[in-house]
Amino acid sequence: MEMTYYEAKSLPVTDGEDEPEIFAEVTRLCEQDNWRMASDRLEYLAARAGKPELEWRIEAFRCSIADGLGDKKQAAVHLRNMLKAGRGVIPFNQQRSFYSDFLFLQHYNEEKTDEQRRREAFAYGDFEKGLRPYVHDRSKHEMHERLRLGFIASSFGDSVVTNFSIQLLCGLDKRRYQVFCYACRREEDATSAFIRERVEGWWQPQAGEAYAPEHLARRIYEDGIDILFDLAGHTAGGLGLQAAAYRPAPVQLSGIGYMSTTGMGRMDYFLGDPYCDPPGSEEDFSERLLRLPHSHLCYTPTELAFQEKRERLPHKGIVFGSFNQFGKINGRVLACWAEILRRVPGSRLLLKYMLKNAQEQRAIQRRLREAGLPMERVILENSSKQYMGRYNAVDIALDTFPYTGGGTTCDALYMGVPVVSLYGRRHGTRFGYSLLMNTGLGELEAATEAEYVEKAVALAGDAGLLSALHREIPDMFRKSPVMDAAAYLRDMQAAFEHIWREWLAGHRGELHGSYQDICLRHYEK
């Protein structure tokens, strides 16, 4: 799932004014996106540096260069090496951010076992040790006339996370709830302004002010927040989690913007649904799973989407498409796509993604050729704000795996394009499954790679079914739980009330009674 776009600038290219002069040229080349020359210069310096205290900085540059070239898996290797080499040297908050980056990058790695993922994620809980949590007085919280809900995110500007949470931020019953928004990064646009006018509390760093998690935690505590909802998880350096580690609210919940456990002992719940989190998923989380009855998120299209017409453009041959960022497209995905193109004569593949530079494009083209894709049938396009209209040129969208699409899948369905998706067993591998099941399109889901190929090929060969799906999907999706804001808000409000009663009764972190039972029974149906 693509809940927040991962930017290379969140990786540790430089350490500001303290960066040794020896790396000045490497820094300049990185800033120019000249990754190949930066790599050559770095390795030249690394061979001659001979100083152990510089090793973590060298690994930091290697990490950024790998990410700049689109190799997320190798970037994660260098990030881990950097953390090991910088132990006792890198400041505490930076260590936390870098480890969050590491956990996020692991979602691109299809070779990790579930046990490895759990162990690495749960290790993040060690950062809580030594941080004194706030203590909360039930009697003070019971005095609140309305339940105070705090939402913390990297920012509340235009993003896929905001598309999934804007109904929650702006649509809750104001007679019962007060909404406070806390942005870890200063970002102002039309979307954040829209939200700011509709909530009762707003905080973001002042211009030129450095983010300090302990200061944000103090602000949340002083605002008397009852339930704190982290929307970002380990994306963008996990800044919100750093504040939540102080437990500034008595009840803390994470979800929507991140696809796995936070690994924190002080995060009480993780928001899920029966499709992303079937029975048995509990072992993957340090938190208690809080399953909504249908979808754990609510999709609201961007303003630009409303300006696009759903009009399937005439063309020859089947056009498959993927608008996911290329880091999600691993060797197994490419092998499936190559087989699909082989079995559907005359078909083409449209890939539209955030392209950083020409070097990355060449690296991507090389990977496609090595995977056996016929390059004369592949269309590569850079992402743009007006990307929604390009879905009109796509017959069938192909989801990535195991890191599936989220916003891109919703965008495709909104524009009437059927999506073939492969699901796994973990929360983050089942976003497509949840979205398609909630829309009534479960037949487009595949349990194996062979089935994924078969379903794509079969759909491509059924012109009548394909035309019917393009005609019917927009209405099916609009009427689904994924876009039913009123029902979603009712489910979320019921969940808030339930976990709040649990805390007042002294059962923090546990779910009792009918709410969770209803969700599990829904899955069994």
Side-chain angles (χ1 to χ4, degrees):
M1 172 186 173
E2 185 181 4
M3 302 305 287
T4 303
Y5 182 69
Y6 190 85
E7 298 177 301
K9 67 183 180 184
S10 67
L11 293 174
V13 172
T14 179
D15 195 29
E17 296 179 359
D18 295 331
E19 192 67 55
E21 184 63 28
I22 188 176
F23 296 122
E25 186 178 358
V26 180
T27 300
R28 179 180 59 81
L29 291 168
C30 288
E31 290 173 346
Q32 296 173 352
D33 290 342
N34 196 337
W35 301 108
R36 291 295 180 191
M37 287 190 67
S39 178
D40 291 344
R41 181 59 180 168
L42 178 66
E43 296 311 318
Y44 173 84
L45 295 172
R48 288 157 178 77
K51 296 181 179 180
E53 65 270 20
L54 294 180
E55 184 59 30
W56 77 269
R57 297 180 186 275
I58 292 169
E59 287 296 328
F61 277 108
R62 287 171 175 158
C63 173
S64 293
I65 290 167
D67 186 71
L69 292 171
D71 192 341
K72 304 287 187 181
K73 191 184 302 184
Q74 192 59 39
V77 171
H78 291 305
L79 195 47
R80 176 181 277 284
N81 292 342
M82 184 205 73
L83 285 165
K84 289 181 178 179
R87 188 172 295 149
V89 179
I90 303 173
F92 176 72
N93 284 339
Q94 279 189 287
Q95 288 185 53
R96 289 200 283 178
S97 286
F98 295 159
Y99 197 78
S100 286
D101 288 337
F102 169 76
L103 291 176
F104 183 85
L105 285 171
Q106 294 309 315
H107 293 88
Y108 296 97
N109 189 343
E110 74 277 17
E111 298 172 359
K112 285 278 183 178
T113 67
D114 291 340
E115 177 56 33
Q116 287 174 317
R117 293 176 190 277
R118 281 192 293 270
R119 186 171 62 250
E120 290 170 347
F122 291 177
Y124 182 79
D126 290 343
F127 286 110
E128 294 175 320
K129 297 175 181 178
L131 297 179
R132 181 177 297 178
Y134 285 98
V135 177
H136 301 279
D137 187 334
R138 283 183 174 76
S139 63
K140 290 184 178 179
H141 286 276
E142 287 178 312
M143 292 172 60
H144 296 163
E145 294 182 0
R146 293 180 290 165
L147 202 59
R148 298 184 183 182
L149 304 178
F151 294 87
I152 187 168
S154 299
S155 77
F156 292 94
D158 184 22
S159 70
V160 66
V161 177
T162 304
N163 293 346
F164 284 149
S165 59
I166 194 167
Q167 298 292 341
L168 196 55
L169 301 173
C170 302
L172 291 169
D173 187 349
K174 295 186 182 301
R175 296 169 298 179
R176 172 56 178 156
Y177 303 100
Q178 288 180 287
V179 172
F180 297 73
C181 289
Y182 304 94
C184 300
R185 289 176 172 167
R186 186 178 181 84
E187 181 177 343
E188 297 176 332
D189 60 15
T191 303
S192 63
F194 177 89
I195 296 171
R196 187 171 188 170
E197 292 174 357
R198 288 161 176 79
V199 300
E200 297 193 45
W202 182 271
W203 182 91
Q204 65 180 6
Q206 298 298 310
E209 177 185 0
Y211 172 74
E214 60 274 18
H215 295 163
L216 177 53
R218 167 61 66 177
R219 174 62 182 265
I220 294 169
Y221 177 75
E222 291 176 346
D223 283 341
I225 297 301
D226 299 311
I227 299 175
L228 180 65
F229 196 154
D230 161 63
L231 296 169
H234 288 292
T235 62
L239 300 180
L241 298 183
Q242 294 179 20
Y246 293 90
R247 190 178 279 286
V251 180
Q252 302 195 144
L253 167 69
S254 186
I256 296 182
Y258 187 60
M259 64 295 291
S260 298
T261 179
T262 65
M264 292 175 58
R266 294 175 187 172
M267 189 63 68
D268 303 305
Y269 303 101
F270 190 94
L271 189 67
D273 63 49
Y275 301 114
C276 278
D277 308 286
S281 300
E282 290 79 4
E283 66 178 354
D284 294 327
F285 293 88
S286 61
E287 310 88 347
R288 292 280 178 151
L289 270 173
L290 179 63
R291 297 178 178 90
L292 295 191
H294 304 287
S295 171
H296 72 280
L297 50 82
C298 183
Y299 171 75
T300 302
T302 65
E303 189 68 28
L304 290 173
F306 294 110
Q307 302 172 15
E308 298 289 349
K309 291 183 179 179
R310 298 187 189 96
E311 187 177 11
R312 192 178 175 196
L313 299 175
H315 53 265
K316 292 182 179 180
I318 292 293
V319 175
F320 296 99
S322 174
F323 290 12
N324 285 286
Q325 55 175 296
F326 203 85
K328 295 183 178 183
I329 304 174
N330 56 58
R332 288 166 50 197
V333 172
L334 289 176
C336 286
W337 290 357
E339 178 63 13
I340 290 169
L341 290 181
R342 187 188 70 79
R343 292 176 57 180
V344 183
S347 61
R348 290 171 291 160
L349 176 63
L350 170 59
L351 301 179
K352 194 173 183 66
Y353 55 94
M354 184 67 72
L355 180 64
K356 296 175 187 174
N357 52 70
Q359 293 176 74
E360 183 185 35
Q361 183 176 27
R362 288 194 293 271
I364 288 169
Q365 290 172 332
R366 183 172 60 254
R367 283 187 58 203
L368 293 172
R369 285 193 298 269
E370 291 172 352
L373 275 83
M375 293 306 295
E376 70 278 6
R377 293 165 61 188
V378 177
I379 307 164
L380 296 177
E381 292 184 1
N382 202 351
S383 184
S384 64
K385 284 198 171 183
Q386 286 74 32
Y387 70 96
M388 290 289 279
R390 287 299 283 150
Y391 279 109
N392 289 322
V394 176
D395 296 300
I396 302 168
L398 299 175
D399 200 3
T400 52
F401 60 85
Y403 189 173
T404 61
T408 49
T409 300
C410 288
D411 291 342
L413 296 175
Y414 179 79
M415 294 298 292
V417 180
V419 182
V420 177
S421 183
L422 171 64
Y423 63 90
R425 62 161 298 278
R426 292 178 289 104
H427 178 94
T429 67
R430 298 172 67 90
F431 268 73
Y433 182 81
S434 179
L435 295 170
L436 292 172
M437 291 295 288
N438 273 297
T439 308
L441 295 167
E443 288 300 313
L444 297 175
E445 278 295 338
T448 66
E449 291 170 32
E451 188 179 5
Y452 176 90
V453 171
E454 289 292 339
K455 292 202 170 187
V457 172
L459 183 56
D462 193 333
L465 176 58
L466 197 53
S467 294
L469 287 173
H470 275 264
R471 186 171 58 251
E472 301 296 332
I473 284 176
D475 193 52
M476 293 173 65
F477 189 51
R478 182 176 59 83
K479 293 178 179 179
S480 76
V482 183
M483 288 193 70
D484 187 345
Y488 178 77
L489 289 172
R490 286 194 298 271
D491 290 341
M492 278 303 314
Q493 288 173 177
F496 286 140
E497 297 297 332
H498 190 92
I499 61 178
W500 185 240
R501 288 195 303 270
E502 289 289 306
W503 183 74
L504 290 177
H507 301 297
R508 190 191 72 234
E510 300 178 14
L511 282 177
H512 303 282
S514 62
Y515 183 80
Q516 192 80 328
D517 295 337
I518 290 172
C519 294
L520 289 173
R521 284 201 299 272
H522 174 83
Y523 178 83
E524 291 166 357
K525 292 178 182 178

